[in-house]
Amino acid sequence: EETTKYPENIILPIIQTSVAKLTDCSDDVKGAAAQTLVEAASAYWGKGTDELLREAVQPMWFSLRNALGVSSCIMDLAELFVVFAQRDCSHLLSSITDLSSLVQLLLTMLVSDFSSVRVAALRSIGILAGEQLNDAKRAVDCRLLVERVFETFFCSNSADDAKAFLDARDDAWDRL
């Protein structure tokens, strides 16, 4: 899928506005901002926008932790979390000062009403476990996280995301 590349003078203000809107009071605005940043990270990471995109980690983290279970933006914020884990896991983890809150968030995401949020949680766990979570394992009791991923082997999953769920679960389990 080809993405249109925009010049820096156009894309940078869009990214700046999206970063600022991640903490908007409207879930729809937060969701649109997260979607924009997911696309921007995919198209422009490594092309002079990295520092600006990294500024989105704290507001994304704040909004994701405070999103209600059925909030319309939770799926978009969860996907943005995965993108940051993939693109710059070290920065993501260094921005989250309380690793126990990270584990708690991932546990909450694993039981979300939305299958895409559960998939995002599993993808995040796989990335974090494979890349960086080893240090966190020493600092935080991740036993519950491992147990919850194990429990997913015995849960039914919706047909629309079944393959993505199974792939993410298997990857997370292999890395844990």
Side-chain angles (χ1 to χ4, degrees):
E1 179 176 310
E2 186 70 23
T3 303
T4 303
K5 304 289 185 196
Y6 295 100
E8 228 178 68
N9 66 332
I10 293 175
I11 196 62
L12 291 179
I14 292 171
I15 293 172
Q16 288 170 329
T17 300
S18 297
V19 169
K21 294 301 180 182
L22 282 174
T23 56
D24 195 273
C25 61
S26 167
D27 284 348
D28 292 337
V29 172
K30 285 186 273 200
Q35 289 173 13
T36 300
L37 290 168
V38 166
E39 292 301 319
S42 299
Y44 296 98
W45 199 277
K47 298 177 176 89
T49 60
D50 298 9
E51 285 306 313
L52 187 54
L53 287 165
R54 284 184 183 108
E55 290 178 20
V57 170
Q58 283 294 332
M60 177 269 313
W61 176 244
F62 174 82
S63 291
L64 187 55
R65 281 185 326 182
N66 294 303
L68 298 173
V70 292
S71 170
S72 63
C73 66
I74 194 165
M75 293 179 284
D76 302 312
L77 290 167
E79 185 60 30
L80 185 58
F81 185 88
V82 171
V83 167
F84 283 127
Q86 289 171 325
R87 300 284 178 173
D88 196 349
C89 194
S90 296
H91 178 73
L92 176 66
L93 286 175
S94 69
S95 298
I96 300 170
T97 56
D98 180 12
L99 292 177
S100 63
S101 66
L102 170 61
V103 172
Q104 187 57 50
L105 175 70
L106 292 170
L107 287 169
T108 301
M109 289 171 61
L110 278 172
V111 295
S112 171
D113 292 337
F114 299 109
S115 60
S116 61
V117 174
R118 293 190 304 269
V119 170
L122 289 167
R123 288 176 59 205
S124 298
I125 292 166
I127 294 164
L128 295 171
E131 302 283 330
Q132 304 284 335
L133 202 54
N134 288 333
D135 291 336
K137 284 179 187 172
R138 287 190 286 273
V140 177
D141 179 14
C142 293
R143 182 181 47 79
L144 277 177
L145 197 56
V146 173
E147 287 174 7
R148 292 298 183 272
V149 172
F150 181 73
E151 287 172 4
T152 64
F153 281 92
F154 307 102
C155 300
S156 63
N157 305 300
S158 65
D160 56 332
D161 281 353
K163 179 163 177 24
F165 181 88
L166 294 173
D167 290 346
R169 183 210 50 210
D170 293 346
D171 182 58
W173 185 252
D174 288 345
R175 292 172 187 241
L176 284 172

